[in-house]
Amino acid sequence: MMKILRINMNNLAIAEEEAKGEYKNLGGRALTSRIIKDEVEPTCHPLGEHNKIIIAPGLLTGTTAPCSGRLSIGGKSPLTGTIKESNAGGTASQKIAKLGYKAIIIEGKARQDGLYIIKINTSGAEIIRADELKGMGTYQTAQTLRDKYGDSYSVICIGPAGEEKLSAASIAVTNIEGETSRHAARGGLGAVLGSKRIKAIIIDNEKQDKISYADEKGFKSQAAAFAKSLVETKQVLTKYGTANLVGPINALKGLPTRNFSVGEFEGASKISGEVLRERITERNGKTGHPCHPGCVIRCSNIYNDEKGNYITSGFEYETIILTGSNCGIDDLDVIAKIDRFCDDFGLDTMDTGAAIGVLMESGLLEFGDTEGVFNLLKEIKQLTPLGRIIGSGAEITGKVFGVTRVPTVKGQAISAYDPRAFKGTGVTYATSPMG
């Protein structure tokens, strides 16, 4: 991987350049953050033409190294106003790497209204007008594009939240099954991509594999040993997913509950990893699901409804807690539907859950009011003023409704670990305005 693909939306120009200097030895978030530091003016508006989106696979992506297929996306965040990296699983990263690209740099801003897609394959890259995708959710967008261009394409896309430049907008990546359940969700980078009027990026390496090894036998031997070690030591994650943390974190009184007001939730046992696994098994879903090809930890899952119909996958601890106990909700089906809505509309479940918790704190609705939450999701979908406020994240929601306990730092919702119980998180989020 020694090429950088540069796409300038100002004049719809595409160019390839060689990765030079220290870029040769960087990948993933190290590369995305360094390019933003080098090329983006710190004082620029995150949604203006001078911000950039950087998409980069890891240094070992495309090789046989286990769990090396995640994708990093970087830019100046609309939420924090600082350099941001968000990452996701899915199939896109390995395809980018096998095409020989260390990074894709998207800069400028399309001069005309409308939407575009960027198509990348072995023949190069192409910018295509795609106004017909306007307003589509991520699931429909991916299916429409794969129907048109072929199921072999990986899709990176935004939903309506990104098109409308809501500050908590995410960027979706298709998983192994082609569903847009993997999200680079943090920091509002979906709004940045939307500001450039790009709806989707589709990638297909067409079985081309440019990954080369200095010592292929030695590398694959070490990779196999590492994979074996991960399989043996991460069995709890494989069996229960990241939701295995619900019980232990609750016992340590660090589980965010009712807008981080307390760290222990009486309904924790109903949303635990054990109950999640039981329900998935009963409904013919799947546990031990890889977030990308080559992930041997396989902490992801596929969650179905009572009739066995797919709702969501990648049903993780952070989503379950911030849209669950943080909102006083102890029903996995309700949480799964919130997750599905956010994935399709293109919103970060963490900031959305935190924003709803803040609204509950304000008294607009009661903690645990599931009907009220679904009504809020309708507000977001209809892009009403209230919906736009929620879609802008917890910080804006707190300011609008005069709430003093707002679990954010520099404009972004914190993770699902109460920093008063988990000192490491407390140090990381030392500037939190939480009471």
Side-chain angles (χ1 to χ4, degrees):
M1 295 185 290
M2 285 300 162
K3 297 187 298 182
I4 290 177
L5 181 66
R6 189 177 293 270
I7 298 168
N8 190 320
M9 294 303 293
N10 284 339
N11 54 12
L12 304 183
I14 300 171
E16 286 188 2
E17 57 195 63
E18 182 183 354
K20 298 179 180 179
E22 67 176 347
Y23 289 179
K24 293 180 179 180
N25 299 315
L26 298 178
R29 74 171 62 192
L31 183 57
T32 63
S33 296
R34 184 52 193 254
I35 294 174
I36 294 299
K37 177 181 179 294
D38 290 346
E39 297 192 7
V40 175
E41 177 61 44
T43 58
C44 78
H45 195 290
L47 302 181
E49 68 174 290
H50 299 296
N51 196 7
K52 301 185 181 186
I53 281 282
I54 317 297
I55 301 171
L59 271 178
L60 299 180
T61 301
T63 71
T64 59
C67 304
S68 61
R70 292 186 68 82
L71 183 70
S72 285
I73 302 179
K76 181 177 180 180
S77 167
L79 285 177
T80 68
T82 60
I83 292 174
K84 184 64 189 175
E85 185 271 350
S86 189
N87 60 83
T91 59
S93 186
Q94 291 170 331
K95 291 180 182 291
I96 293 170
K98 290 177 179 179
L99 286 169
Y101 295 119
K102 285 190 74 70
I104 300 169
I105 300 175
I106 302 172
E107 56 194 12
K109 184 175 183 179
R111 300 304 185 192
Q112 297 180 354
D113 290 336
L115 291 174
Y116 297 84
I117 66 167
I118 299 169
K119 178 185 175 185
I120 305 170
N121 56 27
T122 53
S123 299
E126 180 182 3
I127 301 172
I128 303 170
R129 194 69 182 251
D131 295 344
E132 69 278 6
L133 301 177
K134 183 174 177 58
M136 283 189 186
T138 67
Y139 277 87
Q140 185 182 3
T141 297
Q143 188 60 58
T144 299
L145 291 171
R146 283 159 63 88
D147 286 345
K148 183 173 182 177
Y149 295 103
D151 287 342
S152 59
Y153 275 88
S154 294
V155 178
I156 301 169
C157 68
I158 58 172
E163 291 181 41
E164 295 294 326
K165 299 182 282 294
L166 301 185
S167 299
S170 63
I171 298 176
V173 184
T174 45
N175 66 4
I176 294 171
E177 291 78 22
E179 308 284 8
T180 49
S181 63
R182 314 309 313 185
H183 282 251
R186 308 251 64 201
L189 296 180
V192 180
L193 195 59
S195 73
K196 300 185 180 305
R197 300 194 174 98
I198 295 174
K199 178 68 172 180
I201 303 152
I202 62 173
I203 307 112
D204 185 17
N205 63 306
E206 298 167 296
K207 299 185 179 179
Q208 177 175 319
D209 189 345
K210 287 191 174 181
I211 303 299
S212 60
Y213 301 84
D215 177 4
E216 185 171 357
K217 183 177 179 181
F219 185 95
K220 290 184 175 180
S221 174
Q222 291 296 315
F226 184 36
K228 183 174 184 293
S229 174
L230 287 173
V231 170
E232 292 173 348
T233 58
K234 304 295 183 181
Q235 292 182 24
V236 171
L237 278 168
T238 304
K239 186 174 183 179
Y240 297 110
T242 56
N244 81 89
L245 292 169
V246 174
I249 300 300
N250 190 61
L252 292 169
K253 302 187 187 308
L255 199 74
T257 300
R258 298 183 184 86
N259 192 37
F260 283 76
S261 60
V262 293
E264 192 173 14
F265 184 46
E266 68 280 0
S269 62
K270 297 179 181 180
I271 57 175
S272 67
E274 292 80 4
V275 172
L276 178 64
R277 176 180 171 82
E278 180 182 319
R279 190 164 295 182
I280 288 172
T281 302
E282 288 174 350
R283 298 176 178 183
N284 296 317
K286 187 175 183 180
T287 57
H289 179 263
C291 75
H292 65 76
C295 176
V296 297
I297 298 175
R298 296 178 286 118
C299 64
S300 186
N301 48 58
I302 295 176
Y303 189 91
N304 295 334
D305 64 16
E306 293 178 346
K307 297 180 179 180
N309 298 314
Y310 171 88
I311 299 180
T312 187
S313 60
F315 202 16
E316 309 290 351
Y317 169 81
E318 304 283 358
T319 296
I320 291 171
I321 298 310
L322 288 173
T323 63
S325 62
N326 183 59
C327 298
I329 295 172
D330 61 7
D331 187 331
L332 282 173
D333 282 348
V334 170
I335 299 168
K337 290 174 183 177
I338 298 171
D339 184 27
R340 170 58 182 258
F341 172 83
C342 289
D343 283 353
D344 195 37
F345 202 75
L347 281 174
D348 177 12
T349 56
M350 294 171 68
D351 235 302
T352 302
I356 292 172
V358 169
L359 273 179
M360 290 174 164
E361 176 94 0
S362 76
L364 187 68
L365 68 164
E366 298 291 328
F367 285 104
D369 181 358
T370 58
E371 182 179 353
V373 170
F374 287 135
N375 286 334
L376 290 180
L377 299 185
K378 292 178 182 177
E379 296 272 354
I380 298 172
K381 186 173 183 178
Q382 293 168 4
L383 294 166
T384 66
L386 176 57
R388 287 179 176 274
I389 291 167
I390 301 167
S392 296
E395 179 94 341
I396 293 296
T397 302
K399 288 179 178 179
V400 171
F401 285 88
V403 177
T404 56
R405 180 170 48 238
V406 182
T408 62
V409 172
K410 296 181 179 178
Q412 178 179 266
I414 67 175
S415 59
Y417 303 88
D418 194 310
R420 291 164 295 202
F422 291 94
K423 304 307 180 186
T425 301
V427 171
T428 303
Y429 296 113
T431 59
S432 174
M434 279 175 50

